[in-house]
Amino acid sequence: EQLGAGSGADVPNAPPASMHDGNVCGDDEEELEGLCYKKCSALTQGAYPIRTTAWTCCKEHPCTLTNQVHNVGICSGFDVAGDLEGHSACPHTAGACYQNEELFMGMCYKKCSLMEPTYPRRVGPATCCVSEDLSCAMPSNSKTSSALAVGGGSGETDSTAPTEPHHPVTQLTESM
């Protein structure tokens, strides 16, 4: 069952998710060794759909040196979370963030783009930047504040989403 935005599992602001497919990750992710990665089929345009390691996708079973591709990196290459979790997010534990949140270092935070549109990229738990490159080292290109280290819940109208940073929520990806 594909859930609509904002109505996932009867939870406001839930991401779209197929709730009864056995996948504990986001719909654009697959689980390997307890972490959720962007699907190899998406990373390789369907040519190598079988994930065998954080950095390797295979064309078919058995996976051999002649039918696999590698793209090694730390939170880059094939070692990334799905696009629903934010730009260039690292692999994460089972579950998903709410739609108004982004994944950073395994935790869900309210999107920088919603709180500080001039600084749309999260580069730290309490820091948002104009980009993801070294220009963030320039004080004028980033903003750091404890007010940015929050979850997506407002604490007022939406009591289901945490107001503090939190781990991905499994109830948003699979019915329990």
Side-chain angles (χ1 to χ4, degrees), residues 51-123:
R51 181 172 291 278
T52 54
T53 74
W55 306 287
T56 308
C57 300
C58 290
K59 188 174 282 192
E60 60 191 16
H61 287 293
C63 187
T64 66
L65 291 175
T66 60
N67 71 352
Q68 64 181 313
V69 290
H70 304 276
N71 194 334
V72 179
I74 297 174
C75 300
S76 64
F78 291 163
D79 185 38
V80 293
D83 294 337
L84 293 174
E85 294 303 329
H87 185 72
S88 300
C90 296
H92 59 90
T93 56
C97 297
Y98 290 89
Q99 285 190 315
N100 66 337
E101 295 177 326
E102 59 197 344
L103 190 66
F104 182 78
M105 301 301 288
M107 300 292 283
C108 299
Y109 295 88
K110 188 169 186 176
K111 289 181 178 179
C112 284
S113 61
L114 297 175
M115 296 183 291
E116 291 290 338
T118 307
Y119 306 96
R121 300 283 190 204
R122 183 168 297 278
V123 295

